[in-house]
Amino acid sequence: MNGRIITFVVAALVMLTTATVQAKDVKYSFGNAPSVTFSHDSHLAKNRDCKTCHSAIFDLSKHRSYTMAEMEKGKSCGACHNGKKAFSVATEKDCLRCHRAVPSASVYKISAGDATFSHDSHVNAKGFGCKSCHNAGPQRRGVTMAAMEKGKSCGSCHNGKMAFTVAANCGSCHRGLQTKTLKYKSKAVNDAVFSHDFHSQVYKCNDCHTKKFDYRQGSRKATMAEMEKGKSCGSCHDGKTAFAASGDCNKCHVGYKPANLTFKNSRGTLVGYFSHDFHTAAFQCNDCHTKLYPYGGGKRTTMAEMEKGKSCGACHDGKTAFATSSSCAKCHKKP
């Protein structure tokens, strides 16, 4: 008799405990997409065993999130929603069974002007499906404009054939685009100033970007010697299309006045003086730079090398100017 009572009490407790356990709906939120609600009730109606999912598929102690790409490979919801046990997470027509609205616009923050991607205009107006862009491949994050111009990300469609090209229509995505005047700092000379406003009156964005320059200032650096050989600004500033990069320094380095230089010998007993003021009264910058000297200094030259025509000796040869082998005191004075 007592055994029956105990059995009855235990059964009642089990029923009471089971009745009080109520699994709640789980809501998954996304930055720019409609939230997804997982219903425990609807799933338990088909499969009453919690252990089917916990912890065989979902480990509640880890709180791990899964991408759609992982689900399409059988992870998380994709373990059952594979087109056999239940509708597939990889099927285009079934996206709305979980994601029950069109995603909102995605805004990409850019200093020059934010780029806004409208899901509505691409899905409803153009007729593209979710799988047209979202697939089981790797997530594309932080794609550069240069990469898009080669067919990555938006550039796979915006190539000038399927849709307007990403290489020449900045204002189509970056609404309110405002280009800036750029300053390039150098220790030896005044800042070089580049005006987008001035250049964009004659050229288009894709004339320079990304063939010659990335959309990030300073990512490709070039020396003046390289510019004189056609690199960077020198591809246009060649003396034909525009004034040469080896010409008047003051056109870019506004207000530039080169300093006079002092050279000490190894013993410190003699000091060599070079006056830019004196020399620029007769010569232009490109008479010496970068044929004889790089900008910002370079390898030191001995007096013996100068007497053979190197460095200062290229002009100071006794014909163009007094020879380096003549009076030392003309250049070297006691400190």
Side-chain angles (χ1 to χ4, degrees), residues 188-224:
V189 296
N190 295 27
D191 295 347
V193 179
F194 175 87
S195 171
H196 270 105
D197 290 340
F198 176 82
H199 286 79
S200 59
Q201 295 178 47
V202 183
Y203 299 100
K204 295 180 180 179
C205 299
N206 65 325
D207 288 329
C208 296
H209 302 290
T210 58
K211 300 173 185 176
K212 301 168 187 176
F213 305 99
D214 295 331
Y215 287 94
R216 182 168 58 87
Q217 183 181 1
S219 61
R220 300 186 194 181
K221 294 183 178 180
T223 64
M224 290 302 302

PDB file of all heavy atoms in Angstrom, residues 188-224:
ATOM      1  N   ALA A 188      61.315  68.102 -44.792  1.00  0.00           N
ATOM      2  CA  ALA A 188      62.288  68.959 -45.466  1.00  0.00           C
ATOM      3  C   ALA A 188      61.659  70.176 -46.136  1.00  0.00           C
ATOM      4  O   ALA A 188      62.305  71.213 -46.282  1.00  0.00           O
ATOM      5  CB  ALA A 188      63.068  68.150 -46.489  1.00  0.00           C
ATOM      6  N   VAL A 189      60.398  70.068 -46.543  1.00  0.00           N
ATOM      7  CA  VAL A 189      59.773  71.145 -47.322  1.00  0.00           C
ATOM      8  C   VAL A 189      58.385  71.441 -46.785  1.00  0.00           C
ATOM      9  O   VAL A 189      57.870  70.745 -45.913  1.00  0.00           O
ATOM     10  CB  VAL A 189      59.676  70.768 -48.817  1.00  0.00           C
ATOM     11  CG1 VAL A 189      61.044  70.614 -49.431  1.00  0.00           C
ATOM     12  CG2 VAL A 189      58.854  69.493 -48.996  1.00  0.00           C
ATOM     13  N   ASN A 190      57.765  72.488 -47.338  1.00  0.00           N
ATOM     14  CA  ASN A 190      56.393  72.819 -46.975  1.00  0.00           C
ATOM     15  C   ASN A 190      55.450  71.716 -47.427  1.00  0.00           C
ATOM     16  O   ASN A 190      55.745  70.934 -48.328  1.00  0.00           O
ATOM     17  CB  ASN A 190      55.973  74.142 -47.630  1.00  0.00           C
ATOM     18  CG  ASN A 190      56.766  75.312 -47.118  1.00  0.00           C
ATOM     19  OD1 ASN A 190      57.898  75.162 -46.682  1.00  0.00           O
ATOM     20  ND2 ASN A 190      56.179  76.493 -47.179  1.00  0.00           N
ATOM     21  N   ASP A 191      54.261  71.672 -46.802  1.00  0.00           N
ATOM     22  CA  ASP A 191      53.259  70.679 -47.182  1.00  0.00           C
ATOM     23  C   ASP A 191      52.907  70.824 -48.658  1.00  0.00           C
ATOM     24  O   ASP A 191      52.800  71.940 -49.180  1.00  0.00           O
ATOM     25  CB  ASP A 191      51.985  70.857 -46.351  1.00  0.00           C
ATOM     26  CG  ASP A 191      52.202  70.586 -44.874  1.00  0.00           C
ATOM     27  OD1 ASP A 191      53.265  70.023 -44.537  1.00  0.00           O
ATOM     28  OD2 ASP A 191      51.314  70.930 -44.074  1.00  0.00           O
ATOM     29  N   ALA A 192      52.734  69.672 -49.321  1.00  0.00           N
ATOM     30  CA  ALA A 192      52.242  69.672 -50.700  1.00  0.00           C
ATOM     31  C   ALA A 192      50.718  69.645 -50.648  1.00  0.00           C
ATOM     32  O   ALA A 192      50.132  68.819 -49.957  1.00  0.00           O
ATOM     33  CB  ALA A 192      52.768  68.471 -51.461  1.00  0.00           C
ATOM     34  N   VAL A 193      50.079  70.546 -51.372  1.00  0.00           N
ATOM     35  CA  VAL A 193      48.622  70.686 -51.324  1.00  0.00           C
ATOM     36  C   VAL A 193      48.017  70.179 -52.631  1.00  0.00           C
ATOM     37  O   VAL A 193      48.432  70.590 -53.716  1.00  0.00           O
ATOM     38  CB  VAL A 193      48.222  72.157 -51.085  1.00  0.00           C
ATOM     39  CG1 VAL A 193      46.701  72.291 -51.072  1.00  0.00           C
ATOM     40  CG2 VAL A 193      48.804  72.664 -49.768  1.00  0.00           C
ATOM     41  N   PHE A 194      47.046  69.264 -52.482  1.00  0.00           N
ATOM     42  CA  PHE A 194      46.336  68.741 -53.657  1.00  0.00           C
ATOM     43  C   PHE A 194      44.868  69.130 -53.549  1.00  0.00           C
ATOM     44  O   PHE A 194      44.195  68.789 -52.578  1.00  0.00           O
ATOM     45  CB  PHE A 194      46.467  67.222 -53.765  1.00  0.00           C
ATOM     46  CG  PHE A 194      45.660  66.630 -54.894  1.00  0.00           C
ATOM     47  CD1 PHE A 194      46.190  66.548 -56.164  1.00  0.00           C
ATOM     48  CD2 PHE A 194      44.361  66.192 -54.690  1.00  0.00           C
ATOM     49  CE1 PHE A 194      45.448  66.029 -57.218  1.00  0.00           C
ATOM     50  CE2 PHE A 194      43.617  65.665 -55.734  1.00  0.00           C
ATOM     51  CZ  PHE A 194      44.162  65.588 -56.998  1.00  0.00           C
ATOM     52  N   SER A 195      44.351  69.813 -54.556  1.00  0.00           N
ATOM     53  CA  SER A 195      42.963  70.259 -54.562  1.00  0.00           C
ATOM     54  C   SER A 195      42.106  69.340 -55.426  1.00  0.00           C
ATOM     55  O   SER A 195      42.265  69.301 -56.645  1.00  0.00           O
ATOM     56  CB  SER A 195      42.879  71.696 -55.083  1.00  0.00           C
ATOM     57  OG  SER A 195      41.523  72.070 -55.280  1.00  0.00           O
ATOM     58  N   HIS A 196      41.185  68.614 -54.781  1.00  0.00           N
ATOM     59  CA  HIS A 196      40.231  67.808 -55.538  1.00  0.00           C
ATOM     60  C   HIS A 196      39.299  68.707 -56.370  1.00  0.00           C
ATOM     61  O   HIS A 196      38.934  68.360 -57.501  1.00  0.00           O
ATOM     62  CB  HIS A 196      39.398  66.942 -54.584  1.00  0.00           C
ATOM     63  CG  HIS A 196      39.989  65.608 -54.304  1.00  0.00           C
ATOM     64  ND1 HIS A 196      40.601  65.281 -53.126  1.00  0.00           N
ATOM     65  CD2 HIS A 196      40.072  64.480 -55.067  1.00  0.00           C
ATOM     66  CE1 HIS A 196      41.025  64.028 -53.152  1.00  0.00           C
ATOM     67  NE2 HIS A 196      40.717  63.517 -54.317  1.00  0.00           N
ATOM     68  N   ASP A 197      38.892  69.828 -55.778  1.00  0.00           N
ATOM     69  CA  ASP A 197      37.974  70.730 -56.483  1.00  0.00           C
ATOM     70  C   ASP A 197      38.561  71.191 -57.813  1.00  0.00           C
ATOM     71  O   ASP A 197      37.870  71.212 -58.841  1.00  0.00           O
ATOM     72  CB  ASP A 197      37.665  71.950 -55.604  1.00  0.00           C
ATOM     73  CG  ASP A 197      36.801  71.604 -54.399  1.00  0.00           C
ATOM     74  OD1 ASP A 197      36.141  70.552 -54.446  1.00  0.00           O
ATOM     75  OD2 ASP A 197      36.794  72.372 -53.430  1.00  0.00           O
ATOM     76  N   PHE A 198      39.833  71.537 -57.797  1.00  0.00           N
ATOM     77  CA  PHE A 198      40.482  72.018 -59.022  1.00  0.00           C
ATOM     78  C   PHE A 198      40.600  70.901 -60.057  1.00  0.00           C
ATOM     79  O   PHE A 198      40.282  71.090 -61.231  1.00  0.00           O
ATOM     80  CB  PHE A 198      41.870  72.578 -58.687  1.00  0.00           C
ATOM     81  CG  PHE A 198      42.649  73.020 -59.897  1.00  0.00           C
ATOM     82  CD1 PHE A 198      42.428  74.263 -60.470  1.00  0.00           C
ATOM     83  CD2 PHE A 198      43.592  72.186 -60.478  1.00  0.00           C
ATOM     84  CE1 PHE A 198      43.139  74.665 -61.593  1.00  0.00           C
ATOM     85  CE2 PHE A 198      44.306  72.578 -61.598  1.00  0.00           C
ATOM     86  CZ  PHE A 198      44.082  73.822 -62.155  1.00  0.00           C
ATOM     87  N   HIS A 199      41.046  69.728 -59.631  1.00  0.00           N
ATOM     88  CA  HIS A 199      41.294  68.630 -60.573  1.00  0.00           C
ATOM     89  C   HIS A 199      39.987  68.015 -61.097  1.00  0.00           C
ATOM     90  O   HIS A 199      39.934  67.565 -62.253  1.00  0.00           O
ATOM     91  CB  HIS A 199      42.154  67.555 -59.917  1.00  0.00           C
ATOM     92  CG  HIS A 199      43.592  67.940 -59.764  1.00  0.00           C
ATOM     93  ND1 HIS A 199      44.045  68.757 -58.767  1.00  0.00           N
ATOM     94  CD2 HIS A 199      44.691  67.632 -60.527  1.00  0.00           C
ATOM     95  CE1 HIS A 199      45.352  68.933 -58.886  1.00  0.00           C
ATOM     96  NE2 HIS A 199      45.774  68.273 -59.941  1.00  0.00           N
ATOM     97  N   SER A 200      38.943  67.986 -60.269  1.00  0.00           N
ATOM     98  CA  SER A 200      37.683  67.362 -60.701  1.00  0.00           C
ATOM     99  C   SER A 200      36.931  68.215 -61.726  1.00  0.00           C
ATOM    100  O   SER A 200      35.937  67.749 -62.298  1.00  0.00           O
ATOM    101  CB  SER A 200      36.786  67.084 -59.489  1.00  0.00           C
ATOM    102  OG  SER A 200      36.500  68.274 -58.782  1.00  0.00           O
ATOM    103  N   GLN A 201      37.391  69.446 -61.972  1.00  0.00           N
ATOM    104  CA  GLN A 201      36.803  70.250 -63.048  1.00  0.00           C
ATOM    105  C   GLN A 201      37.194  69.704 -64.424  1.00  0.00           C
ATOM    106  O   GLN A 201      36.501  69.919 -65.409  1.00  0.00           O
ATOM    107  CB  GLN A 201      37.273  71.702 -62.929  1.00  0.00           C
ATOM    108  CG  GLN A 201      36.792  72.425 -61.687  1.00  0.00           C
ATOM    109  CD  GLN A 201      37.337  73.840 -61.600  1.00  0.00           C
ATOM    110  OE1 GLN A 201      37.305  74.594 -62.574  1.00  0.00           O
ATOM    111  NE2 GLN A 201      37.846  74.215 -60.446  1.00  0.00           N
ATOM    112  N   VAL A 202      38.317  68.997 -64.458  1.00  0.00           N
ATOM    113  CA  VAL A 202      38.850  68.489 -65.734  1.00  0.00           C
ATOM    114  C   VAL A 202      38.780  66.967 -65.816  1.00  0.00           C
ATOM    115  O   VAL A 202      38.545  66.404 -66.893  1.00  0.00           O
ATOM    116  CB  VAL A 202      40.316  68.945 -65.913  1.00  0.00           C
ATOM    117  CG1 VAL A 202      40.865  68.486 -67.251  1.00  0.00           C
ATOM    118  CG2 VAL A 202      40.422  70.464 -65.786  1.00  0.00           C
ATOM    119  N   TYR A 203      38.957  66.313 -64.674  1.00  0.00           N
ATOM    120  CA  TYR A 203      39.060  64.856 -64.664  1.00  0.00           C
ATOM    121  C   TYR A 203      37.913  64.207 -63.896  1.00  0.00           C
ATOM    122  O   TYR A 203      37.262  64.855 -63.063  1.00  0.00           O
ATOM    123  CB  TYR A 203      40.391  64.420 -64.038  1.00  0.00           C
ATOM    124  CG  TYR A 203      41.600  64.932 -64.791  1.00  0.00           C
ATOM    125  CD1 TYR A 203      42.298  66.055 -64.340  1.00  0.00           C
ATOM    126  CD2 TYR A 203      42.044  64.309 -65.950  1.00  0.00           C
ATOM    127  CE1 TYR A 203      43.400  66.537 -65.023  1.00  0.00           C
ATOM    128  CE2 TYR A 203      43.144  64.774 -66.638  1.00  0.00           C
ATOM    129  CZ  TYR A 203      43.817  65.893 -66.178  1.00  0.00           C
ATOM    130  OH  TYR A 203      44.902  66.362 -66.859  1.00  0.00           O
ATOM    131  N   LYS A 204      37.687  62.926 -64.181  1.00  0.00           N
ATOM    132  CA  LYS A 204      36.722  62.123 -63.437  1.00  0.00           C
ATOM    133  C   LYS A 204      37.444  61.343 -62.346  1.00  0.00           C
ATOM    134  O   LYS A 204      38.659  61.163 -62.404  1.00  0.00           O
ATOM    135  CB  LYS A 204      36.013  61.143 -64.376  1.00  0.00           C
ATOM    136  CG  LYS A 204      35.149  61.805 -65.439  1.00  0.00           C
ATOM    137  CD  LYS A 204      34.482  60.754 -66.307  1.00  0.00           C
ATOM    138  CE  LYS A 204      33.613  61.397 -67.374  1.00  0.00           C
ATOM    139  NZ  LYS A 204      32.978  60.365 -68.250  1.00  0.00           N
ATOM    140  N   CYS A 205      36.672  60.868 -61.390  1.00  0.00           N
ATOM    141  CA  CYS A 205      37.268  60.129 -60.268  1.00  0.00           C
ATOM    142  C   CYS A 205      38.093  58.934 -60.749  1.00  0.00           C
ATOM    143  O   CYS A 205      39.195  58.676 -60.254  1.00  0.00           O
ATOM    144  CB  CYS A 205      36.178  59.635 -59.313  1.00  0.00           C
ATOM    145  SG  CYS A 205      35.188  60.947 -58.567  1.00  0.00           S
ATOM    146  N   ASN A 206      37.564  58.208 -61.753  1.00  0.00           N
ATOM    147  CA  ASN A 206      38.247  56.986 -62.185  1.00  0.00           C
ATOM    148  C   ASN A 206      39.455  57.251 -63.077  1.00  0.00           C
ATOM    149  O   ASN A 206      40.154  56.329 -63.476  1.00  0.00           O
ATOM    150  CB  ASN A 206      37.277  56.042 -62.892  1.00  0.00           C
ATOM    151  CG  ASN A 206      36.727  56.601 -64.187  1.00  0.00           C
ATOM    152  OD1 ASN A 206      36.510  57.801 -64.299  1.00  0.00           O
ATOM    153  ND2 ASN A 206      36.481  55.747 -65.153  1.00  0.00           N
ATOM    154  N   ASP A 207      39.727  58.523 -63.404  1.00  0.00           N
ATOM    155  CA  ASP A 207      40.971  58.834 -64.112  1.00  0.00           C
ATOM    156  C   ASP A 207      42.172  58.612 -63.196  1.00  0.00           C
ATOM    157  O   ASP A 207      43.278  58.326 -63.670  1.00  0.00           O
ATOM    158  CB  ASP A 207      40.960  60.287 -64.613  1.00  0.00           C
ATOM    159  CG  ASP A 207      40.015  60.496 -65.789  1.00  0.00           C
ATOM    160  OD1 ASP A 207      39.840  59.534 -66.564  1.00  0.00           O
ATOM    161  OD2 ASP A 207      39.460  61.592 -65.922  1.00  0.00           O
ATOM    162  N   CYS A 208      41.944  58.773 -61.912  1.00  0.00           N
ATOM    163  CA  CYS A 208      43.034  58.587 -60.943  1.00  0.00           C
ATOM    164  C   CYS A 208      42.803  57.392 -60.007  1.00  0.00           C
ATOM    165  O   CYS A 208      43.753  56.695 -59.654  1.00  0.00           O
ATOM    166  CB  CYS A 208      43.207  59.851 -60.093  1.00  0.00           C
ATOM    167  SG  CYS A 208      43.725  61.319 -61.017  1.00  0.00           S
ATOM    168  N   HIS A 209      41.555  57.173 -59.618  1.00  0.00           N
ATOM    169  CA  HIS A 209      41.225  56.092 -58.675  1.00  0.00           C
ATOM    170  C   HIS A 209      40.605  54.924 -59.416  1.00  0.00           C
ATOM    171  O   HIS A 209      39.648  55.075 -60.138  1.00  0.00           O
ATOM    172  CB  HIS A 209      40.235  56.573 -57.621  1.00  0.00           C
ATOM    173  CG  HIS A 209      40.700  57.739 -56.815  1.00  0.00           C
ATOM    174  ND1 HIS A 209      41.712  57.647 -55.905  1.00  0.00           N
ATOM    175  CD2 HIS A 209      40.285  59.038 -56.792  1.00  0.00           C
ATOM    176  CE1 HIS A 209      41.893  58.831 -55.330  1.00  0.00           C
ATOM    177  NE2 HIS A 209      41.057  59.699 -55.862  1.00  0.00           N
ATOM    178  N   THR A 210      41.151  53.717 -59.233  1.00  0.00           N
ATOM    179  CA  THR A 210      42.244  53.357 -58.368  1.00  0.00           C
ATOM    180  C   THR A 210      43.487  52.973 -59.197  1.00  0.00           C
ATOM    181  O   THR A 210      44.356  52.252 -58.733  1.00  0.00           O
ATOM    182  CB  THR A 210      41.853  52.157 -57.484  1.00  0.00           C
ATOM    183  OG1 THR A 210      41.479  51.068 -58.352  1.00  0.00           O
ATOM    184  CG2 THR A 210      40.702  52.464 -56.588  1.00  0.00           C
ATOM    185  N   LYS A 211      43.536  53.489 -60.420  1.00  0.00           N
ATOM    186  CA  LYS A 211      44.682  53.190 -61.290  1.00  0.00           C
ATOM    187  C   LYS A 211      45.974  53.737 -60.690  1.00  0.00           C
ATOM    188  O   LYS A 211      47.011  53.066 -60.718  1.00  0.00           O
ATOM    189  CB  LYS A 211      44.458  53.795 -62.672  1.00  0.00           C
ATOM    190  CG  LYS A 211      43.228  53.288 -63.415  1.00  0.00           C
ATOM    191  CD  LYS A 211      43.011  54.076 -64.694  1.00  0.00           C
ATOM    192  CE  LYS A 211      41.725  53.669 -65.391  1.00  0.00           C
ATOM    193  NZ  LYS A 211      41.458  54.503 -66.585  1.00  0.00           N
ATOM    194  N   LYS A 212      45.899  54.956 -60.181  1.00  0.00           N
ATOM    195  CA  LYS A 212      47.100  55.626 -59.669  1.00  0.00           C
ATOM    196  C   LYS A 212      47.079  55.774 -58.154  1.00  0.00           C
ATOM    197  O   LYS A 212      48.125  55.716 -57.507  1.00  0.00           O
ATOM    198  CB  LYS A 212      47.230  57.007 -60.314  1.00  0.00           C
ATOM    199  CG  LYS A 212      47.321  56.954 -61.827  1.00  0.00           C
ATOM    200  CD  LYS A 212      47.155  58.329 -62.448  1.00  0.00           C
ATOM    201  CE  LYS A 212      47.088  58.221 -63.966  1.00  0.00           C
ATOM    202  NZ  LYS A 212      46.833  59.534 -64.597  1.00  0.00           N
ATOM    203  N   PHE A 213      45.883  55.987 -57.603  1.00  0.00           N
ATOM    204  CA  PHE A 213      45.761  56.232 -56.166  1.00  0.00           C
ATOM    205  C   PHE A 213      44.596  55.426 -55.590  1.00  0.00           C
ATOM    206  O   PHE A 213      43.540  55.319 -56.228  1.00  0.00           O
ATOM    207  CB  PHE A 213      45.499  57.719 -55.881  1.00  0.00           C
ATOM    208  CG  PHE A 213      46.519  58.642 -56.478  1.00  0.00           C
ATOM    209  CD1 PHE A 213      46.262  59.285 -57.676  1.00  0.00           C
ATOM    210  CD2 PHE A 213      47.725  58.873 -55.846  1.00  0.00           C
ATOM    211  CE1 PHE A 213      47.194  60.138 -58.246  1.00  0.00           C
ATOM    212  CE2 PHE A 213      48.670  59.718 -56.401  1.00  0.00           C
ATOM    213  CZ  PHE A 213      48.400  60.350 -57.605  1.00  0.00           C
ATOM    214  N   ASP A 214      44.798  54.883 -54.398  1.00  0.00           N
ATOM    215  CA  ASP A 214      43.701  54.274 -53.664  1.00  0.00           C
ATOM    216  C   ASP A 214      42.802  55.379 -53.120  1.00  0.00           C
ATOM    217  O   ASP A 214      43.152  56.553 -53.158  1.00  0.00           O
ATOM    218  CB  ASP A 214      44.224  53.423 -52.501  1.00  0.00           C
ATOM    219  CG  ASP A 214      45.035  52.236 -52.992  1.00  0.00           C
ATOM    220  OD1 ASP A 214      44.757  51.748 -54.099  1.00  0.00           O
ATOM    221  OD2 ASP A 214      45.954  51.808 -52.270  1.00  0.00           O
ATOM    222  N   TYR A 215      41.634  54.968 -52.590  1.00  0.00           N
ATOM    223  CA  TYR A 215      40.741  55.951 -51.996  1.00  0.00           C
ATOM    224  C   TYR A 215      41.128  56.244 -50.549  1.00  0.00           C
ATOM    225  O   TYR A 215      40.300  56.642 -49.757  1.00  0.00           O
ATOM    226  CB  TYR A 215      39.298  55.447 -52.034  1.00  0.00           C
ATOM    227  CG  TYR A 215      38.688  55.486 -53.413  1.00  0.00           C
ATOM    228  CD1 TYR A 215      38.721  54.369 -54.239  1.00  0.00           C
ATOM    229  CD2 TYR A 215      38.077  56.629 -53.897  1.00  0.00           C
ATOM    230  CE1 TYR A 215      38.164  54.392 -55.505  1.00  0.00           C
ATOM    231  CE2 TYR A 215      37.514  56.660 -55.163  1.00  0.00           C
ATOM    232  CZ  TYR A 215      37.560  55.546 -55.956  1.00  0.00           C
ATOM    233  OH  TYR A 215      37.008  55.578 -57.215  1.00  0.00           O
ATOM    234  N   ARG A 216      42.365  56.058 -50.212  1.00  0.00           N
ATOM    235  CA  ARG A 216      42.845  56.344 -48.855  1.00  0.00           C
ATOM    236  C   ARG A 216      44.159  57.088 -48.975  1.00  0.00           C
ATOM    237  O   ARG A 216      45.121  56.587 -49.549  1.00  0.00           O
ATOM    238  CB  ARG A 216      43.023  55.044 -48.064  1.00  0.00           C
ATOM    239  CG  ARG A 216      43.485  55.254 -46.633  1.00  0.00           C
ATOM    240  CD  ARG A 216      43.358  53.949 -45.852  1.00  0.00           C
ATOM    241  NE  ARG A 216      44.129  52.877 -46.457  1.00  0.00           N
ATOM    242  CZ  ARG A 216      45.413  52.657 -46.180  1.00  0.00           C
ATOM    243  NH1 ARG A 216      46.053  53.414 -45.333  1.00  0.00           N
ATOM    244  NH2 ARG A 216      46.059  51.645 -46.758  1.00  0.00           N
ATOM    245  N   GLN A 217      44.184  58.265 -48.448  1.00  0.00           N
ATOM    246  CA  GLN A 217      45.358  59.122 -48.579  1.00  0.00           C
ATOM    247  C   GLN A 217      46.599  58.473 -47.970  1.00  0.00           C
ATOM    248  O   GLN A 217      46.557  57.953 -46.867  1.00  0.00           O
ATOM    249  CB  GLN A 217      45.111  60.469 -47.890  1.00  0.00           C
ATOM    250  CG  GLN A 217      46.269  61.449 -48.041  1.00  0.00           C
ATOM    251  CD  GLN A 217      46.004  62.755 -47.319  1.00  0.00           C
ATOM    252  OE1 GLN A 217      44.969  62.922 -46.705  1.00  0.00           O
ATOM    253  NE2 GLN A 217      46.939  63.686 -47.411  1.00  0.00           N
ATOM    254  N   GLY A 218      47.674  58.519 -48.723  1.00  0.00           N
ATOM    255  CA  GLY A 218      48.956  58.038 -48.225  1.00  0.00           C
ATOM    256  C   GLY A 218      49.194  56.551 -48.351  1.00  0.00           C
ATOM    257  O   GLY A 218      50.240  56.053 -47.945  1.00  0.00           O
ATOM    258  N   SER A 219      48.249  55.804 -48.934  1.00  0.00           N
ATOM    259  CA  SER A 219      48.442  54.354 -49.044  1.00  0.00           C
ATOM    260  C   SER A 219      49.506  53.994 -50.078  1.00  0.00           C
ATOM    261  O   SER A 219      50.143  52.955 -49.978  1.00  0.00           O
ATOM    262  CB  SER A 219      47.111  53.669 -49.406  1.00  0.00           C
ATOM    263  OG  SER A 219      46.636  54.151 -50.654  1.00  0.00           O
ATOM    264  N   ARG A 220      49.680  54.843 -51.066  1.00  0.00           N
ATOM    265  CA  ARG A 220      50.748  54.647 -52.065  1.00  0.00           C
ATOM    266  C   ARG A 220      51.660  55.874 -52.034  1.00  0.00           C
ATOM    267  O   ARG A 220      51.271  56.949 -52.479  1.00  0.00           O
ATOM    268  CB  ARG A 220      50.173  54.474 -53.469  1.00  0.00           C
ATOM    269  CG  ARG A 220      49.235  53.300 -53.631  1.00  0.00           C
ATOM    270  CD  ARG A 220      48.840  53.153 -55.090  1.00  0.00           C
ATOM    271  NE  ARG A 220      47.706  52.276 -55.276  1.00  0.00           N
ATOM    272  CZ  ARG A 220      47.189  51.971 -56.469  1.00  0.00           C
ATOM    273  NH1 ARG A 220      47.711  52.506 -57.565  1.00  0.00           N
ATOM    274  NH2 ARG A 220      46.150  51.172 -56.572  1.00  0.00           N
ATOM    275  N   LYS A 221      52.834  55.720 -51.501  1.00  0.00           N
ATOM    276  CA  LYS A 221      53.769  56.831 -51.408  1.00  0.00           C
ATOM    277  C   LYS A 221      54.769  56.779 -52.555  1.00  0.00           C
ATOM    278  O   LYS A 221      55.192  55.712 -52.975  1.00  0.00           O
ATOM    279  CB  LYS A 221      54.491  56.794 -50.065  1.00  0.00           C
ATOM    280  CG  LYS A 221      53.558  57.036 -48.885  1.00  0.00           C
ATOM    281  CD  LYS A 221      54.322  57.070 -47.582  1.00  0.00           C
ATOM    282  CE  LYS A 221      53.381  57.359 -46.417  1.00  0.00           C
ATOM    283  NZ  LYS A 221      54.099  57.396 -45.115  1.00  0.00           N
ATOM    284  N   ALA A 222      55.125  57.946 -53.040  1.00  0.00           N
ATOM    285  CA  ALA A 222      56.084  58.028 -54.145  1.00  0.00           C
ATOM    286  C   ALA A 222      57.054  59.169 -53.879  1.00  0.00           C
ATOM    287  O   ALA A 222      56.656  60.233 -53.392  1.00  0.00           O
ATOM    288  CB  ALA A 222      55.358  58.255 -55.470  1.00  0.00           C
ATOM    289  N   THR A 223      58.319  58.948 -54.175  1.00  0.00           N
ATOM    290  CA  THR A 223      59.322  59.997 -54.030  1.00  0.00           C
ATOM    291  C   THR A 223      59.259  60.935 -55.231  1.00  0.00           C
ATOM    292  O   THR A 223      58.668  60.608 -56.271  1.00  0.00           O
ATOM    293  CB  THR A 223      60.728  59.387 -53.934  1.00  0.00           C
ATOM    294  OG1 THR A 223      61.037  58.726 -55.175  1.00  0.00           O
ATOM    295  CG2 THR A 223      60.810  58.367 -52.794  1.00  0.00           C
ATOM    296  N   MET A 224      59.887  62.096 -55.091  1.00  0.00           N
ATOM    297  CA  MET A 224      59.943  63.026 -56.211  1.00  0.00           C
ATOM    298  C   MET A 224      60.688  62.409 -57.391  1.00  0.00           C
ATOM    299  O   MET A 224      60.320  62.631 -58.555  1.00  0.00           O
ATOM    300  CB  MET A 224      60.629  64.331 -55.786  1.00  0.00           C
ATOM    301  CG  MET A 224      59.816  65.180 -54.828  1.00  0.00           C
ATOM    302  SD  MET A 224      58.187  65.656 -55.469  1.00  0.00           S
ATOM    303  CE  MET A 224      58.612  66.526 -56.966  1.00  0.00           C
TER     304      MET A 224
END
